[in-house]
Amino acid sequence: MANKNNLRHLMFGLAGSALLLTPQAYANETIKIGVMLPFSGAYAALGSDGRNGLRLALKEHRERLHGSNIEFIEMDTEARPERAPEISSALLNRHKADFIVGPVHSGVANGMLRTLRNRDTIMIVPNAGSAEVTGALCAPNVFRTSFSSWQTSYPMGQVAADKGYKRVVTITWNYGMGRESVDAFEESFTAAGGEIIRKMLVPFPRTDFQSYISEIASLQPDAVFVFFAGSGAVQFALDYDALGLRERIPLIGSGFLTEGTLGAQGKAAEGLVTTLHYADELDNPNNVKFRELYKSEYNRDADLYAVQGYDAGLMIVEAIDQLQGKVKDRQAVIEVMRNMTVPSPRGDFTFSKAHNPIQNVYLREVKDGVNRVIDVAMPALEDPARGCNM
Amino acid sequence: MTTSLFFIQLINGLQYGLLLFLIASGLTLVFGVMGILNLAHGSMYMVGAYLAWYFFTHTDSFLLSAIISAVIALSIGILVERTLIRQLYHRNHLDQVLLTIGMIFVFNALQSLLWGNDPQGIKVPDLLSGSIPLTDTLSYPVYRIFVAVICILLAAALYYTINKTRLGMLIRAGESNREMVECLGINISRLYTIVFAIGVMLAAIAGVLSAPMVSIVPGMGEHVLIACFVVVVIGGMGSIKGAFVAALLVGIVDTFAAVLLPSIASMVVYILMALILLVKPKGLFSN
Amino acid sequence: MLFQKRSERLFIWIFFPLMLMMPLFLDGNIFYINKLSSILIFALFVMSLDYLVGRCGLITLGHAMFYGLGGYIFYIIAPQNEAVNFWVYTFYICVISAAIALIVGFLVLRTSGIYMIMITLAIAQMFFYYFSDSMEFGGIDGVFLYLKPETSFLGIKMFDLDNPTHFYYLCLFSLFNTLVFFKVIMASKFGRVVDATRENPERTTALGYNVFVFRLASYVIASALGAYAGYLFSMQYGFVNPSMLSWQTSGTALVMLILGGMGSIYGAILGTFAYEGLHYFFEHLTEHWMLFMGSAIILMVILLKKGIAGYIEKLLEKRS
């Protein structure tokens, strides 16, 4: 169905990319939401899910918007960091966007922060998990609805130690997110008495893993911890299975290993154990309702990226509602947002001082092509926000 | 590194190299015969993989979807040659670079429109899904061995076609002396169409064969493209034999660099290429 | 006279005064001023590429390497928490990148045609991976520059680079100087020999000129100016990223070049503006802008053989 959806988007786009949600009769103020996500290139699927989630939240809670016109201004980042300052400057200075939601990619986040920190807008990060966003580069007007790399990997170190693993090999792409994730795993795993016998760094975005996996096989560790996302996650799981290691050496990782990739991984993902702040199967009323709504609206299953976009939308709805549409007072918006409890499909969460979610991290295992929740790996986990002076 | 690990990595390298050869052979063939530098060659690899995925999910037969994909790729090749590439025969390499960059944009957009942007994958055909144990932890999938064998067979078929058949004779003649072939009353235009379409089909077949081994994602063609360039340049542009040797060399060097020199792994093949071009500015087997 | 063609004079008389007045029309709208600055910077980069490709006949698919190097050299040599002098660092960056270009040029200019395209690509990829895999340069996420240089010259403060309008004028000033610089070179004896090396290298050699030396000198000049453009880019948003060195950046510059009209130098400006305009237009039209952009590029290559500059020249010739 993906193709039909895309064709529809093309039509939509041709008709004009701004979409007005509320009837003109009630209109008082126009609230502009800039969307900076990748709509083309390798991260395009993540971008469109995030955008869908965001729009769904505003549509669902239309009656709480106090008659404000919501105008979306969508910009394709192409996941290219060098375009980020220019696009965010467009949203800030030309469109005077009240909220800017983006990006997916951490490199783009860095570029956006350059232009948006401490400026006259509210930036909500619906994915990019690099530590800096709510660490060294934290700012009052920057919020994150997703996660920090630390949050999704730190609990796994404890889990691995509890499972009795002593010697572990880690492997990830040699870039910020990858190194941060592996370091967070190492932090808790070695504290619990484990040993990292080899840290492998693969040049980004190489997806030819066969030689690394052969090397891992010869090291015979108790388990392998990985951080890979998207195509890298698919490829790693496929190669790991094809070379016969899946049944012999347990593969564990940050949840991105099996997020939005299970269809492509097939049986190669069976039995993989991961930690993440969300799982499609989470059994809570918000999640069930959200997933039904999403499916009926977009004719495709919601995923993590849709949830994170949806939560960014919920934050905006809540701020508009509480301030009765008066979002030009950024200080008031920040006050509302930092004290907010977001009724997310992942479970309610609040914000840390650095504006990162304080949230449960779940332990999940893939069974029959689905991430099943086994347990809460760590409840209400807060990122240490190293380097943030807020 | 133990001896057994050494041999395993050697096999990994050879297997990667053979696949590289399959993709690069089309690129070098088209360049050798027609003098056309096709930057959109990687896109054809992507199209092959997506077609295989699309038809596999509809027919559930790998063989059938491979055949359909190859036929479609052949038609795309004919269409593109007749409408676009034909305009470039009397133009310089720069125009070729630009036109084919435009084609990359178009193919990427079409992929996103037709098939969406989610990563896709297909399962290995049942017949080939087993694996052969190598050590007590590592085993080697039969499918990869199958792909390696197919690559070798296709290489042999290409070699035979070029050296022993009438078509091959024309191709060789076309490489060395275009005017001569035309004077002999051969329809060079049709020859070009055939060669270009075969080039496209080879890339697409590589995509089809890779489909069960890789994640099928947007942009997969561009990663492959640059690797192919390295192979084609090291081997000598237009030389099939050169591409074969260079592909194996690049495959092996890249595999060992990844484990032995992790900090500069992705630079190593480019360093290799620069060194070879310093000694032999036109590649190992230039005409 | 420096600008011989009518079309060229016409363009310069329209473009530069218009651009000089632009900030007045834009009324301090920071976005448009920033956008124009970045287009001017890229036009400068494309212009340096035009000199290589259009005038010297040396086709490279690795020119973006110097664009990125300009940014990275600045990051490496400038102290983190002290504002440096713009002119002094312009000099440093041009000299260092020229030195690198001398070595690289020595290697790549041994080849020609398609092989040169390939080896320039390979060397650029080497640098790309060097920066994207390095930890000290922020890897694939790039690095930030927290301070902008100050621009005092002989005690006079000329531009305040934190002010977008000042930065805009610096870019315009740089572009104009680069244009004049290339025109002076082209009109000189050196430039005439370079033209000869493009048209007929054998005969030029027979006349007693060392073709290699002329090509190398041209390569060094164009690369240093390419690096200068990258230096300006990194300064605009205080941001250096390995994708500045990617082959896609080189490819985009080539597309702009052919769109504007190769070999005319001022066509680089036309091409950059036209490409950015198309991109902006299609991107706002649909998220599948690549489809239209790609088709536009294909049509342009087939139909507009000499680019916009060539088209304008033809129009003017017809009338006169």
Side-chain angles (χ1 to χ4, degrees):
Chain A
M1 283 302 105
N3 43 350
K4 270 191 193 146
N5 256 328
N6 282 325
L7 284 170
R8 209 177 64 201
H9 281 140
L10 181 68
M11 299 304 169
F12 251 126
L14 287 170
S17 65
L19 180 74
L20 299 177
L21 281 175
T22 348
Q24 287 292 326
Y26 296 100
N28 51 35
E29 205 169 353
T30 297
I31 295 176
K32 292 185 175 178
I33 304 179
V35 183
M36 266 185 79
L37 294 169
F39 299 118
S40 58
Y43 294 89
L46 283 58
S48 66
D49 281 328
R51 181 252 322 264
N52 290 348
L54 173 72
R55 287 194 162 189
L56 184 63
L58 283 134
K59 194 172 172 195
E60 183 189 351
H61 298 286
R62 198 186 318 217
E63 76 287 355
R64 293 177 59 198
L65 301 177
H66 294 268
S68 319
N69 272 327
I70 302 293
E71 185 186 345
F72 288 104
I73 306 142
E74 294 181 350
M75 301 281 207
D76 183 4
T77 63
E78 302 168 56
R80 278 167 58 188
E82 82 276 21
R83 294 201 65 211
E86 183 190 313
I87 301 175
S88 43
S89 151
L91 290 173
L92 176 74
N93 298 312
R94 184 159 79 94
H95 297 287
K96 315 271 180 218
D98 299 291
F99 300 95
I100 296 177
V101 179
V104 161
H105 182 283
S106 287
V108 176
N110 283 348
M112 285 175 72
L113 286 166
R114 277 295 298 178
T115 25
L116 300 180
R117 286 179 77 210
N118 301 315
R119 296 300 170 87
D120 185 31
T121 188
I122 305 290
M123 172 173 171
I124 304 175
V125 180
N127 191 58
S130 81
E132 282 176 322
V133 176
T134 59
L137 294 176
C138 72
N141 68 329
V142 179
F143 288 83
R144 176 153 65 188
T145 59
S146 51
F147 61 94
S148 70
S149 51
W150 184 91
Q151 274 181 318
T152 56
S153 294
Y154 181 83
M156 190 46 107
Q158 190 61 49
V159 172
D162 291 346
K163 282 182 183 275
Y165 305 148
K166 298 269 181 272
R167 302 163 66 250
V168 167
V169 171
T170 66
I171 176 166
T172 185
W173 273 324
N174 184 12
Y175 71 151
M177 273 295 292
R179 290 196 301 266
E180 284 169 22
S181 302
V182 163
D183 288 348
F185 171 81
E186 187 178 3
E187 187 184 332
S188 59
F189 185 59
T190 49
E195 186 199 354
I196 308 283
I197 56 170
R198 179 77 65 88
K199 287 170 92 163
M200 293 183 176
L201 291 173
V202 182
F204 179 82
R206 182 187 172 112
T207 52
D208 186 49
F209 296 123
Q210 211 164 321
S211 50
Y212 298 93
I213 294 172
S214 304
E215 184 90 359
I216 291 172
S218 75
L219 291 168
Q220 306 208 335
D222 297 335
V224 179
F225 174 86
V226 303
F227 172 88
F228 285 112
S231 61
V234 175
Q235 192 64 54
F236 193 88
L238 288 177
D239 286 358
Y240 199 78
D241 179 55
L243 297 174
L245 269 71
R246 183 168 63 94
E247 268 123 36
R248 300 194 177 91
I249 305 171
L251 180 60
I252 57 178
S254 156
F256 296 95
L257 180 62
T258 57
E259 203 58 36
T261 55
L262 289 172
Q265 287 162 331
K267 77 165 184 36
E270 285 299 302
L272 303 192
V273 173
T274 60
T275 44
L276 198 70
H277 53 292
Y278 180 71
D280 295 350
E281 296 293 295
L282 269 183
D283 191 20
N284 71 53
N286 281 344
N287 192 37
V288 174
K289 190 173 135 222
F290 164 73
R291 299 191 68 83
E292 269 174 16
L293 211 57
Y294 191 92
K295 177 95 187 187
S296 70
E297 183 75 21
Y298 301 107
N299 198 17
R300 81 187 240 124
D301 282 314
D303 60 10
L304 172 73
Y305 308 102
V307 170
Q308 292 170 165
Y310 180 73
D311 291 346
L314 289 183
M315 287 177 70
I316 294 172
V317 168
E318 182 72 23
I320 296 174
D321 192 10
Q322 283 197 30
L323 299 169
Q324 306 185 344
K326 306 272 182 293
V327 294
K328 298 285 175 220
D329 181 357
R330 309 288 187 231
Q331 211 46 52
V333 176
I334 292 170
E335 246 353 273
V336 170
M337 284 187 167
R338 70 173 1 145
N339 295 313
M340 191 181 283
T341 300
V342 182
S344 167
R346 76 188 86 163
D348 292 359
F349 69 83
T350 54
F351 287 99
S352 69
K353 272 201 198 108
H355 297 175
N356 193 57
I358 300 177
Q359 55 190 340
N360 290 346
V361 175
Y362 302 98
L363 183 63
R364 316 151 349 135
E365 182 176 356
V366 180
K367 280 212 183 91
D368 306 322
V370 177
N371 282 303
R372 304 252 180 244
V373 179
I374 311 173
D375 200 357
V376 177
M378 286 191 183
L381 185 65
E382 182 176 349
D383 181 81
R386 288 167 188 140
C388 175
N389 301 321
M390 245 164 38
Chain B
M1 190 180 276
T2 60
T3 332
S4 69
L5 185 58
F6 174 82
F7 279 108
I8 289 167
Q9 298 293 29
L10 197 62
I11 297 170
N12 287 337
L14 283 173
Q15 191 234 310
Y16 176 51
L18 285 168
L19 194 63
L20 267 184
F21 166 74
L22 189 55
I23 314 170
S25 59
L27 189 66
T28 204
L29 182 70
V30 167
F31 183 81
V33 178
M34 302 156 65
I36 291 283
L37 180 65
N38 181 11
L39 284 178
H41 194 72
S43 303
M44 306 302 175
Y45 168 81
M46 174 189 78
V47 167
Y50 268 100
L51 284 174
W53 163 74
Y54 181 78
F55 288 110
F56 186 77
T57 50
H58 284 77
T59 64
D60 224 28
S61 156
F62 185 71
L63 185 65
L64 192 61
S65 47
I67 294 169
I68 301 174
S69 307
V71 172
I72 294 181
L74 208 57
S75 333
I76 294 177
I78 293 171
L79 187 74
V80 168
E81 198 275 340
R82 292 264 152 160
T83 55
L84 300 176
I85 302 295
R86 182 147 293 194
Q87 317 279 338
L88 293 178
Y89 293 137
H90 301 291
R91 305 277 203 93
N92 58 23
H93 291 309
L94 185 61
D95 284 353
Q96 301 168 2
V97 166
L98 295 171
L99 185 117
T100 50
I101 283 180
M103 280 164 56
I104 294 179
F105 276 61
V106 171
F107 278 111
N108 281 346
L110 289 177
Q111 163 267 313
S112 157
L113 267 166
L114 292 172
W115 297 306
N117 295 314
D118 293 318
Q120 307 291 358
I122 60 180
K123 65 179 189 357
V124 175
D126 288 336
L127 202 62
L128 303 164
S129 64
S131 58
I132 301 162
L134 289 182
T135 65
D136 40 336
T137 42
L138 196 70
S139 47
Y140 218 79
V142 171
Y143 184 75
R144 293 192 182 196
I145 297 167
F146 163 77
V147 170
V149 171
I150 294 281
C151 289
I152 293 171
L153 288 179
L154 278 169
L158 262 178
Y159 181 83
Y160 177 81
T161 310
I162 289 174
N163 289 296
K164 305 277 163 160
T165 64
R166 191 179 136 76
L167 176 67
M169 190 195 75
L170 291 176
I171 289 175
R172 276 178 294 143
E175 275 176 5
S176 44
N177 196 334
R178 242 161 264 207
E179 289 75 20
M180 169 94 97
V181 178
E182 265 172 299
C183 290
L184 290 172
I186 308 294
N187 186 342
I188 193 112
S189 140
R190 194 194 300 156
L191 176 70
Y192 279 6
T193 311
I194 294 171
V195 168
F196 188 81
I198 290 177
V200 167
M201 191 179 69
L202 284 171
I205 289 177
V208 170
L209 287 174
S210 306
M213 300 190 288
V214 302
S215 55
I216 302 163
V217 287
M220 63 188 287
E222 278 144 75
H223 293 302
V224 168
L225 174 71
I226 302 288
C228 281
F229 273 156
V230 174
V231 166
V232 169
V233 173
I234 289 180
M237 305 223 30
S239 161
I240 299 275
K241 186 167 68 178
F244 189 75
V245 175
L248 294 187
L249 186 66
V250 168
I252 292 168
V253 167
D254 188 58
T255 301
F256 278 96
V259 267
L260 297 178
L261 303 163
S263 56
I264 55 162
S266 27
M267 288 171 69
V268 168
V269 288
Y270 298 101
I271 296 173
L272 175 76
M273 171 172 162
L275 288 178
I276 287 177
L277 289 189
L278 278 182
V279 184
K280 301 198 90 175
K282 298 203 163 181
L284 294 176
F285 295 85
S286 54
N287 306 329
Chain C
M1 195 194 293
L2 218 46
F3 301 103
Q4 286 162 347
K5 286 185 181 142
R6 269 181 61 185
S7 55
E8 201 169 25
R9 285 200 299 274
L10 187 71
F11 171 76
I12 286 166
W13 277 111
I14 294 175
F15 179 78
F16 283 98
L18 186 71
M19 284 292 129
L20 265 176
M21 289 186 296
M22 216 53 184
L24 299 178
F25 302 138
L26 294 175
D27 195 26
N29 188 319
I30 302 171
F31 166 70
Y32 284 112
I33 292 177
N34 276 339
K35 178 80 194 171
L36 277 179
S37 307
S38 56
I39 296 177
L40 293 177
I41 293 171
F42 212 76
L44 200 163
F45 175 66
V46 175
M47 197 180 276
S48 68
L49 181 65
D50 188 23
Y51 180 69
L52 265 189
V53 178
R55 302 309 302 190
C56 309
L58 303 169
I59 304 177
T60 158
L61 197 52
H63 200 51
M65 166 182 145
F66 291 98
Y67 190 60
L69 275 175
Y72 277 105
I73 294 171
F74 181 47
Y75 172 77
I76 294 165
I77 63 174
Q80 277 282 310
N81 32 26
E82 188 186 329
V84 297
N85 184 281
F86 174 80
W87 310 106
V88 173
Y89 272 74
T90 300
F91 177 74
Y92 287 164
I93 281 156
C94 288
V95 168
I96 295 173
S97 52
I100 296 172
L102 194 65
I103 300 167
V104 172
F106 199 78
L107 303 181
V108 301
L109 294 174
R110 291 159 42 105
T111 60
S112 62
I114 195 82
Y115 291 94
M116 183 170 161
I117 296 183
M118 290 299 171
I119 194 162
T120 48
L121 173 70
I123 292 178
Q125 286 293 104
M126 261 159 60
F127 277 90
F128 171 78
Y129 283 115
Y130 175 72
F131 286 111
S132 60
D133 286 348
S134 68
M135 307 233 192
E136 61 267 44
F137 303 123
I140 200 86
D141 294 334
V143 287
F144 292 103
L145 308 155
Y146 289 97
L147 282 170
K148 299 211 164 145
E150 50 86 24
T151 54
S152 53
F153 182 68
L154 300 174
I156 310 158
K157 192 164 189 246
M158 303 171 80
F159 299 98
D160 170 16
L161 297 187
D162 281 315
N163 179 330
T165 310
H166 283 215
F167 185 76
Y168 170 82
Y169 281 116
L170 174 67
C171 296
L172 191 62
F173 174 73
S174 303
L175 184 67
F176 182 74
N177 284 346
T178 309
L179 178 69
V180 172
F181 173 75
F182 277 128
K183 280 290 167 186
V184 169
I185 289 190
M186 281 158 57
S188 69
K189 191 175 170 209
F190 176 86
R192 288 199 299 276
V193 178
V194 165
D195 281 344
T197 63
R198 183 188 70 233
E199 295 302 330
N200 195 336
E202 289 79 19
R203 184 175 291 178
T204 319
T205 312
L207 286 170
Y209 293 106
N210 187 335
V211 171
F212 184 80
V213 170
F214 278 87
R215 285 185 172 160
L216 188 60
S218 299
Y219 187 79
V220 168
I221 292 169
S223 302
L225 280 161
Y228 175 70
Y231 167 58
L232 284 178
F233 175 86
S234 69
M235 223 182 295
Q236 183 176 20
Y237 294 108
F239 182 57
V240 185
N241 188 276
S243 51
M244 286 170 76
L245 294 88
S246 68
W247 72 272
Q248 284 94 342
T249 307
S250 299
T252 308
L254 280 174
V255 173
M256 291 172 172
L257 180 56
I258 203 98
L259 179 58
M262 220 170 62
S264 65
I265 299 295
Y266 76 97
I269 303 175
L270 283 172
T272 312
F273 272 85
Y275 182 96
E276 290 285 348
L278 279 178
H279 186 243
Y280 188 85
F281 174 69
F282 289 136
E283 194 181 33
H284 283 75
L285 198 65
T286 159
E287 78 186 51
H288 295 282
W289 58 271
M290 276 193 168
L291 186 62
F292 295 95
M293 198 71 208
S295 312
I297 294 173
I298 291 173
L299 283 179
M300 187 190 89
V301 174
I302 292 176
L303 301 177
L304 222 62
K305 289 184 188 171
K306 291 195 164 168
I308 301 172
Y311 187 70
I312 296 176
E313 268 159 36
K314 218 163 85 187
L315 276 185
L316 289 179
E317 265 166 37
K318 264 186 201 156
R319 274 201 291 161
S320 56

